[in-house]
Amino acid sequence: MADSLKTRVARVITGGMHALLDRLEDQAPEAAMEQAMREADRVIDDVRHELGTVAANRHLSQQQHASLNGQHARLAEQIDQAMAQGRDELMRAAVARQLDIEAQLPVLESRLSELTLQERELQGFASALLAKKREMAEALSAFRRSRAASVQTSGPAAGVGVEQRIEAVTEAFDRIHERHTGLTGTAGGGGLRQAAQLKELDDLVRDNKIAERIAQLKAGRM
């Protein structure tokens, strides 16, 4: 694969949405992310095209390799027949052709190995690009949701529940945190309901420990 295409693949794979937001803070980040996704699509198409070319070349090389091996085997049979009949001139011609084939086979096998490696590399790049495209789409959706939540929370508080407002603020914080650190923030905590359930579970565990300690103390006095 051409180095320029490898470079484009690497740029798409390693590029993060937070980096785009950093560079385009005063511009239109949503448009920039959409442009990045279009670029990812173009690179995916180019990788698939290159993959098709490499796969076709590998197939042709395999056919040529099989054909030369077949010729070599047939020549071996012909050499046996010519030797049985004492036809040294025919043996010489067949052996000469065998030597030509034997000189070509290592080169062809090296080419096959190279094409196989290229094909695997391109398949890996295609899979990675598709995964990155999904990640970018999810990031874009999350960005749009956070913008919508920001618009809601910037208006009157009427009609907006406390839990929704806290989740919107948390999501906005996580977006800024990830943009500047590359690390996941507090998102995914499950909201107020899950927090309350976890607190209840923690209290239950603590009560059980207290009960066990009291039981141990009473047993020690008996």
Side-chain angles (χ1 to χ4, degrees):
M1 184 170 58
D3 287 340
S4 59
L5 185 53
K6 285 186 177 181
T7 301
R8 291 169 62 200
V9 170
R11 185 167 63 245
V12 172
I13 296 300
T14 60
M17 303 310 292
H18 58 276
L20 283 173
L21 291 174
D22 284 341
R23 291 196 303 269
L24 301 172
E25 187 175 3
D26 298 326
Q27 300 181 31
E30 184 172 345
M33 285 188 280
E34 290 172 347
Q35 176 62 32
M37 292 182 65
R38 286 192 291 270
E39 172 62 18
D41 282 331
R42 286 192 290 269
V43 178
I44 289 171
D45 289 341
D46 290 344
V47 168
R48 284 173 170 168
H49 176 75
E50 184 76 11
L51 177 58
T53 300
V54 170
N57 289 337
R58 180 185 57 78
H59 181 66
L60 290 174
S61 296
Q62 284 179 329
Q63 287 183 325
Q64 187 178 1
H65 187 270
S67 175
L68 288 176
N69 276 321
Q71 289 181 41
H72 195 279
R74 287 192 298 273
L75 285 167
E77 295 175 358
Q78 293 170 358
I79 289 171
D80 289 340
Q81 294 174 4
M83 185 168 54
Q85 297 177 15
R87 301 291 300 275
D88 290 352
E89 73 283 4
L90 295 179
M91 288 180 59
R92 181 180 180 83
V95 169
R97 177 56 183 157
Q98 274 192 329
L99 291 174
D100 289 342
I101 291 174
E102 289 168 6
Q104 295 177 54
L105 284 175
V107 177
L108 193 55
E109 288 167 357
S110 177
R111 177 61 175 160
L112 266 173
S113 178
E114 178 185 342
L115 289 170
T116 300
L117 288 175
Q118 288 181 9
E119 188 174 11
R120 289 175 182 171
E121 181 183 42
L122 286 164
Q123 288 171 342
F125 280 141
S127 297
L129 284 166
L130 289 172
K132 186 65 176 181
K133 170 100 180 285
R134 289 191 293 270
E135 177 186 320
M136 294 167 77
E138 291 171 1
L140 179 57
S141 296
F143 177 79
R144 286 170 173 165
R145 289 195 301 270
S146 68
R147 279 296 179 89
S150 297
V151 171
Q152 291 178 1
T153 56
S154 64
V160 180
V162 173
E163 182 174 355
Q164 288 84 355
R165 293 171 63 191
I166 290 178
E167 288 179 354
V169 171
T170 301
E171 188 173 0
F173 171 84
D174 289 339
R175 180 166 52 83
I176 295 170
H177 181 272
E178 184 175 359
R179 185 182 353 152
H180 290 284
T181 67
L183 302 175
T184 302
T186 59
L192 294 177
R193 178 174 298 178
Q194 186 178 19
Q197 291 173 340
L198 291 175
K199 177 63 169 60
E200 182 179 355
L201 178 60
D202 186 60
D203 291 342
L204 179 62
V205 171
R206 180 175 173 79
D207 289 343
N208 287 337
K209 287 183 177 180
I210 293 172
E212 289 175 0
R213 178 64 60 85
I214 291 174
Q216 290 174 357
L217 291 172
K218 288 182 176 179
R221 292 194 170 210
M222 293 177 64

